[in-house]
Amino acid sequence: MGGNSPCASCKLLRRRCAKDCIFAPYFPSDDPHKFAIVHKVFGASNVSKMLQDLPVQQRADAVSSLVYEANARVRDPVYGCVGAISFLQNQVSELQMQLAVVQAEILCIQMQHQVQDPMLQQLPNPTPTTAHGGATVSHLSDDQLHYDKPFLLHNHHQFINSTTNVIHDQYSVKRETIFGDMVS
C-alpha cells in the first residue's frame, strides 16, 4: 500500500509495508482477521512463498482458498474443509436415500390405486337379505343392505401385500425399510 496505511499482514507482523508488498492487494488493513487466521494456520512465510509462485491473475483465488481452508481448520483442526465436504456428501446420500424411499412409496400407492379401482368396480352388487325385519328390497335403505365391503377390501389388501412389501392396516399405510424396521 505504500507508506501511508500498512496492509493487515504488515500491521500484524509489525513491519513497514513496502510498495511491492505481496500481501497488500489481498489482505487490506480494514480486514485484519482475514490475514490473522491465514497466518495462524499456514504462517506468513509459507503464504508469501505460495503467492510468489503463482501468476498474478491466480493469486486472488488462492488467497480466497487459503482463507476458507484456514477457517475450516480452526473449526475442525483434524479434517479442515474435508470434514465439511464429507459431512455434506453424507447428508446428500441420506437425502437421496430418503427420496428413493418416498418415490418407491408413491409408486406403491399409485399401483394400489390402479389395482384397487378396477377391483372395486367389479364388486358384485349387494344382494339384499330379509335379515332386517323381513323388509323387501324396495323398503331397504343403503345402510340396511348387507354386504361386507371392508372385508373385501381387506382381502384385496392382503393380495397387494403379497406382491409389494407394503403392509396395510385398516386406514394407515406402513412400509418396511431396507433395515427391516417398520415406518408409518
Side-chain angles (χ1 to χ4, degrees), residues 18-179:
K19 288 182 181 181
D20 61 342
C21 177
I22 195 159
F23 297 118
Y26 313 107
F27 299 103
S29 61
D30 60 346
D31 193 6
H33 179 71
K34 185 176 173 181
F35 180 77
I37 197 161
V38 169
H39 172 61
K40 180 179 178 182
V41 173
F42 298 106
S45 64
N46 290 331
V47 174
S48 174
K49 288 176 193 174
M50 281 188 255
L51 291 177
Q52 287 174 350
D53 289 342
L54 288 173
V56 176
Q57 64 270 15
Q58 292 179 352
R59 290 179 182 174
D61 291 335
V63 167
S64 177
S65 295
L66 288 170
V67 170
Y68 181 81
E69 177 64 31
N71 281 316
R73 284 278 170 198
V74 168
R75 282 191 307 266
D76 187 353
V78 175
Y79 296 108
C81 67
V82 174
I85 292 168
S86 177
F87 172 77
L88 292 173
Q89 285 176 335
N90 287 338
Q91 194 173 14
V92 166
S93 294
E94 287 176 17
L95 291 172
Q96 286 174 334
M97 189 170 60
Q98 288 177 2
L99 178 63
V101 168
V102 169
Q103 287 174 334
E105 191 172 291
I106 289 171
L107 184 62
C108 287
I109 291 171
Q110 287 173 343
M111 289 173 54
Q112 289 171 358
H113 287 304
Q114 288 175 355
V115 171
Q116 188 176 17
D117 289 342
M119 289 189 74
L120 286 178
Q121 292 171 358
Q122 294 175 2
L123 289 177
N125 287 333
T127 54
T129 62
T130 57
H132 298 285
T136 62
V137 175
S138 61
H139 294 97
L140 290 176
S141 64
D142 287 338
D143 59 339
Q144 291 174 321
L145 291 174
H146 180 68
Y147 57 94
D148 199 354
K149 204 171 200 177
F151 173 76
L152 293 172
L153 289 176
H154 178 70
N155 286 343
H156 171 68
H157 285 220
Q158 285 179 342
F159 169 76
I160 289 176
N161 286 340
S162 65
T163 60
T164 64
N165 284 345
V166 176
I167 300 171
H168 296 273
D169 287 297
Q170 187 174 4
Y171 296 104
S172 68
V173 176
K174 293 186 178 182
R175 61 179 162 72
E176 187 173 352
T177 65
I178 58 174
F179 304 108

